[in-house]
């Protein structure tokens, strides 16, 4: 009874928040520089819902290079004070921010469903992850006592310390797909350690970053420590990468943008660039696996948020002896998905994020057909009735694509999963590794030796065995450090893990003599 009551309450609070937001649609939002609300000289752009492009959430400023420059300047000014604030005070501010975010979680989840099309559970998970980042990084800073370490001494009168100190201004460049969690993780990682930031959200999702900034200010983050500049990647984003007063960049997004930005940034002088990028994540299903659990895990991994997660499972290698049975189970589950407006209660799959993703999906289906891959389910866009004004597509299961085809090798970022056969585990692992990315991977098997071999040999940062809630997805802050190998990441240290914060700090050795 208690559980049922809680669930009813969850739905009621979420639906109330959806209603409340409907009455606020269409507001105009500013850029925030040094605590001051600013309008762009270039006017605004509309933030529309991918479920129904006639719905405008709000109007956001088309920031310019000048806006980005002024924000960097404000962050530089604010660094002078913030970098000297006692770490315990910073910890207290970010804990307060976590509390404020928690109080607003239904509002934030509702806004997210409108803005990027996440269903209510996925949206709430995104908000929860953001809250976890705030609390986890506060705990890390506290446990490491502000990263001050007593060193050894050569002579009695010598007193040496290693102190990790902030660099200065960081550019924070965020993606659309975890509009609160990832923006919060990157922003709080940089600022809780004493740096100041300019946050540029993805153009598809400016609202959730705006809300994040409001929460941080309310919790006591001083003006100028977090600056918020909306605008396109090619203007605001490019300035934040090219600006010589930026001490570091923390970026999450595609490999193409990340790699170009890294070489641009590092060319001018050696400075840290922390990048989390794409993935082409695979799941192995052996003949020793529970096939029901495997199908459930792959289904969730592949189609949660329409495959628009960097960790999404987009390839499955299934041992030949069980492949047909597995495909049947996966297809059955996929065919039962409810697609539609993500604010509706039973909808599992909302729309794709934008027109370009929608076109990519159609192109990917054409490409799959051209290489004679077989589409066993899906492969179509949805255009009629309630789908008419959004970017809705059917989740798609493809089999038997050539191993060197685009569908097997490239990140698609749409709900398409390809299932391929294998004979033995060595072969499957070598295929899993034969892509440029190394983000996440999963295996289903009831044989401990197989799992051990998988853990030993797979070249990716986040590995799961027998994870039914998502074969490659769903890392939890403080439990699964989220890190990309190969072209999936630049630093080898994971978000939500113990080595994340030191990336925002450089070491100083301090020695005094009596
Ligand atoms: P994206 O297109 O690369 O955009 C990411 C951010 O970069 C956006 O804010 C974008 O701004 C900005 N940007 C674009 N061009 C830029 C430029 N020339 N200079 C500086 N910034 C620029 O990625 P997305 O479509 O938002 O996100 C999906 C991608 O992110 C996928 O590849 C996914 O795998 C990856 N991702 C990785 C992780 C991870 O932890 N490894 C997590 C989430 C997502 P505009 O929006 O204005 O273009």
């Amino acid at each position: 009874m208690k559980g049922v009551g809680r669930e009813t309450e969850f739905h009621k609070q979420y639906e109330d928040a959806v209603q409340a937001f409907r009455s606020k649609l269409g507001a105009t939002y500013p850029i925030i520089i040094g605590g001051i609300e600013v309008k762009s000289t270039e006017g605004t752009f509309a933030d529309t819902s991918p479920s129904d492009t006639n719905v405008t959430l709000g109007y956001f400023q088309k920031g310019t290079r000048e806006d980005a420059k002024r924000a960097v300047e404000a962050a530089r000014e604010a660094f002078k004070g913030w970098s000297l604030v006692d770490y315990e005070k910073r910890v207290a501010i970010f804990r307060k921010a976590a509390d404020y975010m928690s109080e607003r979680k239904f509002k934030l989840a509702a806004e997210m469903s409108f803005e990027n099309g996440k269903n209510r559970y996925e949206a709430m998970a995104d908000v929860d992850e953001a809250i976890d980042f705030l609390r986890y990084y506060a705990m890390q800073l506290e446990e490491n006592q502000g990263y001050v370490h007593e060193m050894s001494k050569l002579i009695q009168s010598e007193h040496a310390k290693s102190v990790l100190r902030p660099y200065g201004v960081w550019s924070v460049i965020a993606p659309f797909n975890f509009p609160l969690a990832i923006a919060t993780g990157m922003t709080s990682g940089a600022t809780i350690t004493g740096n100041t930031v300019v946050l540029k959200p993805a153009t598809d999702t400016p609202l959730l970053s705006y809300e994040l900034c409001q929460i941080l200010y309310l919790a006591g983050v001083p003006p100028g420590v977090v600056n918020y500049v909306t605008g396109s990647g090619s203007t605001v984003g490019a300035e934040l990468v090219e600006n010589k007063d930026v001490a570091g960049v923390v970026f999450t997004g595609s490999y193409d943008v990340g790699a170009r930005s890294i070489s641009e940034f590092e060319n001018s002088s050696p400075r840290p660039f922390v990048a989390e990028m794409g993935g082409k994540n695979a799941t192995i299903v052996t003949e020793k696996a529970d096939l029901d659990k495997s199908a459930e895990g792959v289904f969730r991994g592949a189609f949660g948020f329409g495959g628009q997660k960097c960790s999404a499972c987009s390839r499955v290698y299934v041992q030949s002896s069980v492949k047909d049975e597995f495909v049947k189970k996966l297809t059955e589950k996929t065919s039962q998905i409810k697609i539609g407006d993500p604010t509706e209660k039973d909808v599992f799959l909302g729309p794709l994020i934008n027109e370009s993703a929608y076109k990519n999906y159609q192109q990917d289906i054409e490409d799959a057909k051209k290489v004679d891959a077989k589409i066993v389910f899906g492969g179509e866009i949805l255009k009629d009735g309630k789908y008419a004004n959004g970017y809705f597509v059917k989740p798609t299961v493809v089999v038997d694509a050539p191993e060197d085809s685009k569908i097997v090798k490239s990140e698609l970022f749409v709900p398409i999963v390809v299932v391929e056969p294998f004979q033995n585990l060595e072969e499957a692992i070598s295929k899993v590794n034969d892509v440029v990315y190394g983000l996440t991977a999963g295996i289903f098997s009831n044989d401990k030796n197989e799992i051990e071999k998988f853990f030993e040999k797979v070249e990716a940062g986040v590995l799961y065995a027998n994870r039914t809630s998502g074969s490659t997805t769903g890392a939890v802050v403080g439990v699964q450090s989220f890190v990309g190998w190969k072209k999936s990441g630049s630093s080898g240290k994971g978000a939500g893990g113990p080595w994340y914060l030191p990336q925002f700090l450089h070491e100083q050795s301090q020695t005094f003599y009596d």
Side-chain angles (χ1 to χ4, degrees):
M1 257 331 266
K2 231 174 160 185
V4 173
R6 266 211 304 270
E7 200 177 323
T8 309
E9 186 56 26
F10 170 87
H11 291 301
K12 184 178 176 323
Q13 288 205 46
Y14 173 86
E15 280 152 18
D16 288 350
V18 166
Q19 281 319 317
F21 185 60
R22 275 190 205 287
S23 64
K24 293 195 184 132
L25 290 170
T28 298
Y29 296 83
I31 279 169
I32 306 166
I33 298 176
I36 295 168
E37 300 192 347
V38 177
K39 283 189 176 159
S40 166
T41 51
E42 295 291 309
T44 60
F45 64 93
D47 179 20
T48 58
S49 176
S51 309
D52 180 347
T53 53
N54 293 325
V55 172
T56 297
L57 281 77
Y59 296 89
F60 289 81
Q61 305 299 316
K62 271 190 206 161
T64 60
R65 278 193 180 254
E66 273 315 305
D67 293 320
K69 277 186 190 141
R70 277 190 284 121
V72 170
E73 196 41 49
R76 226 156 76 97
E77 202 46 44
F79 180 72
K80 293 174 192 160
W82 181 245
S83 57
L84 299 177
V85 168
D86 192 70
Y87 82 87
E88 282 161 324
K89 192 163 172 208
R90 282 189 251 122
V91 163
I93 289 174
F94 281 86
R95 289 213 168 110
K96 205 182 271 182
D99 292 343
Y100 287 145
M101 198 177 274
S102 197
E103 284 165 15
R104 292 157 177 74
K105 63 202 274 185
F106 287 96
K107 170 182 187 282
L108 296 167
E111 290 177 1
M112 200 182 303
S113 296
F114 277 93
E115 192 172 45
N116 84 349
K118 276 192 178 174
N119 73 34
R120 63 181 66 183
Y121 298 108
E122 297 264 7
M124 190 56 85
D126 194 316
V127 178
D128 280 335
E129 188 176 341
I131 297 165
D132 288 349
F133 273 130
L134 293 168
R135 297 218 164 106
Y136 181 75
Y137 293 148
M139 185 186 82
Q140 282 294 315
L141 192 57
E142 198 171 57
E143 280 185 355
N144 288 285
Q145 295 166 356
Y147 295 99
V148 177
H149 192 83
E150 294 291 335
M151 300 295 280
S152 308
K153 52 176 74 193
L154 268 189
I155 51 172
Q156 201 46 40
S157 61
E158 187 175 54
H159 305 275
K161 280 190 293 194
S162 158
V163 185
L164 291 190
R165 303 195 58 192
Y167 282 94
V169 179
W170 281 67
S171 298
V172 179
I173 302 178
F176 76 87
N177 65 339
F178 282 81
L180 191 63
I182 291 180
T184 301
M186 295 194 294
T187 303
S188 62
T191 48
I192 200 170
T193 44
N195 299 282
T196 56
V197 305
V198 180
L199 165 60
K200 187 210 120 35
T203 294
D204 286 314
T205 53
L207 178 59
L208 269 298
S209 280
Y210 178 83
E211 298 287 21
L212 164 65
C213 293
Q214 295 304 319
I215 287 168
L216 293 177
Y217 302 144
L218 195 63
V221 171
V225 170
V226 173
N227 301 278
Y228 166 81
V229 184
T230 46
S232 78
S234 55
T235 52
V236 174
E239 178 60 35
L240 292 180
V241 170
E242 288 165 26
N243 192 302
K244 302 287 180 286
D245 289 331
V246 168
V249 177
V250 55
F251 166 89
T252 306
S254 61
Y255 175 75
D256 286 350
V257 174
R260 261 189 283 124
S261 302
I262 290 171
S263 43
E264 169 74 43
F265 189 68
E266 289 178 349
N267 249 342
S268 69
S269 65
R271 292 169 292 171
F273 194 118
V274 177
E276 295 295 342
M277 298 175 283
K280 185 66 188 172
N281 314 297
T283 304
I284 295 173
V285 179
T286 79
E287 58 193 8
K288 293 178 185 160
D290 178 321
L291 289 189
D292 287 315
K293 288 187 179 163
S294 315
E296 175 72 14
V298 166
F299 163 76
R300 293 194 172 276
F303 300 132
F305 190 40
Q308 300 174 108
K309 296 183 187 178
C310 49
S311 57
C313 171
S314 60
R315 302 179 285 154
V316 194
Y317 292 102
V318 187
Q319 206 146 16
S320 296
S321 51
V322 293
K323 185 181 153 234
D324 289 348
E325 198 185 340
F326 171 82
V327 170
K328 187 163 168 271
K329 285 179 189 290
L330 177 64
T331 308
E332 259 168 33
K333 273 188 191 301
T334 308
S335 66
Q336 285 157 17
I337 285 183
K338 187 168 173 198
I339 305 168
D341 175 350
T343 63
E344 279 177 23
K345 191 172 173 184
D346 299 323
V347 164
F348 177 86
L349 187 60
L352 290 178
I353 187 68
N354 55 29
E355 193 177 0
S356 127
Y358 191 56
K359 284 187 176 152
N360 287 345
Y361 171 90
Q362 295 168 69
Q363 186 61 53
D364 294 335
I365 297 294
E366 285 314 306
D367 291 346
K369 286 178 183 163
K370 273 188 210 145
V371 294
D372 292 331
K374 200 168 143 214
I375 294 167
V376 290
F377 186 83
E380 292 148 28
I381 56 169
L382 297 162
K383 270 270 81 109
D384 298 333
K386 64 182 181 181
Y387 302 121
N389 298 317
Y391 303 117
F392 294 96
V393 302
K394 277 195 179 173
T396 301
V397 181
V398 175
V399 296
D400 303 335
E403 198 49 35
D404 61 354
S405 57
K406 183 179 162 214
I407 197 170
V408 177
K409 293 288 190 228
S410 302
E411 182 182 55
L412 306 181
F413 231 56
V414 293
I416 300 179
V417 68
V418 58
V419 184
E420 304 279 278
F422 73 86
Q423 303 302 328
N424 61 63
L425 189 57
E426 289 288 343
E427 176 202 347
I429 290 175
S430 109
K431 285 177 171 168
V432 167
N433 287 338
D434 191 18
V435 289
V436 296
Y437 296 112
L439 192 51
T440 70
I443 187 171
F444 285 90
S445 169
N446 288 323
D447 180 335
K448 285 219 161 71
N449 294 327
E450 288 187 340
I451 293 174
E452 214 166 284
K453 191 176 269 185
F454 169 85
F455 283 150
E456 257 172 38
K457 301 214 159 157
V458 169
E459 297 159 1
V462 190
L463 305 181
Y464 302 104
N466 298 325
R467 186 181 178 87
T468 321
S469 59
S471 60
T472 58
T473 54
V476 173
V477 173
V479 182
Q480 284 93 15
S481 201
F482 197 74
V483 52
W485 288 16
K486 295 153 73 175
K487 289 187 174 176
S488 295
S490 69
S491 76
K493 309 284 188 300
W499 319 116
Y500 189 70
L501 291 188
Q503 301 181 104
F504 297 100
L505 298 159
H506 48 183
E507 188 177 10
Q508 186 171 60
S509 166
Q510 298 178 349
T511 308
F512 81 89
Y513 296 88
D514 294 328

